């Protein structure tokens, strides 16, 4: 938005309206929003949404993988976390406002997905050791003689 010189001694300049601040810069309500290049999230087709998703979001996959690797410390888990992040982001992409910070939005989804996974694993029962035979030994260990 171009800067408008302030009025001298209370004399309004051309183009300066009463609802502008004392510096002559229009407030957010005084300036109408310009036309958008793309249709809004509600007016776009699924193909347009997929194209917008690839253009605006998919370019951050390497940075998301790097962050996921730092969180999980495992390549396979990092891949799964990034995949889940993109799945959740695509499901919610209709509510994403074009022109806002897509990178921050994705990193928030990544972080929340990681935290949710940690909480879910914390509430799951621990894994049992391998099944034992009737004699009480594991498949790779020698059987003990019966007591008696």
């Amino acid at each position: 938005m171009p800067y408008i010189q302030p009025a001298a001694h209370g004399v309004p300049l051309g183009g300066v309206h009463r609802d502008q601040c004392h510096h002559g810069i229009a407030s957010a309500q005084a300036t109408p929003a310009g036309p958008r290049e793309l249709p809004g999230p509600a007016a776009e087709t699924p193909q347009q949404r997929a194209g917008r998703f690839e253009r605006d979001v998919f370019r951050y996959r390497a940075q998301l993988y790097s962050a996921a690797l730092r969180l999980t410390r495992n390549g396979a888990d990092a891949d799964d976390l990034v995949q889940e992040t993109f799945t959740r982001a695509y499901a919610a992409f209709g509510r994403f406002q074009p022109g806002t910070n897509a990178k921050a939005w994705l990193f928030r989804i990544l972080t929340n997905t990681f935290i949710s996974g940690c909480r879910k694993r914390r509430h799951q029962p621990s894994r049992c050791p391998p099944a034992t035979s009737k004699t009480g030994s594991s498949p790779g260990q020698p059987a003990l003689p019966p007591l008696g």
Side-chain angles (χ1 to χ4, degrees):
M1 181 166 134
Y3 179 75
I4 302 171
Q5 283 289 334
H9 302 294
V11 178
L13 294 173
V16 178
H17 300 287
R18 189 170 214 135
D19 57 348
Q20 294 175 339
C21 69
H22 69 281
H23 294 291
I25 301 173
S27 63
Q29 292 100 6
T31 316
R36 284 187 167 170
E37 294 177 12
L38 299 172
E44 65 188 358
T45 66
Q47 292 82 13
Q48 289 172 329
R49 180 175 293 157
R52 189 167 58 97
F53 184 81
E54 286 184 30
R55 184 184 65 244
D56 295 346
V57 173
F58 228 52
R59 61 182 164 171
Y60 298 114
R61 67 180 173 263
Q63 294 172 9
L64 284 172
Y65 179 77
S66 178
L69 195 56
R70 283 191 305 270
L71 290 170
T72 62
R73 298 185 186 123
N74 182 332
D77 291 341
D79 283 334
D80 292 342
L81 182 58
V82 170
Q83 181 66 35
E84 181 67 22
T85 299
F86 278 122
T87 302
R88 290 184 182 196
Y90 189 75
F93 199 61
R95 296 186 308 254
F96 178 73
Q97 294 297 318
T100 58
N101 193 347
K103 183 177 174 182
W105 182 67
L106 282 171
F107 274 86
R108 176 50 49 199
I109 293 172
L110 178 93
T111 303
N112 289 346
T113 303
F114 176 73
I115 292 170
S116 296
C118 287
R119 287 177 180 160
K120 187 184 289 186
R121 282 188 297 277
R122 187 177 353 147
H123 293 293
Q124 289 179 346
S126 62
R127 293 192 171 203
C128 298
T132 58
S133 65
K134 292 180 184 178
T135 59
S137 64
S138 296
Q141 296 177 343
L144 299 175
L147 296 173

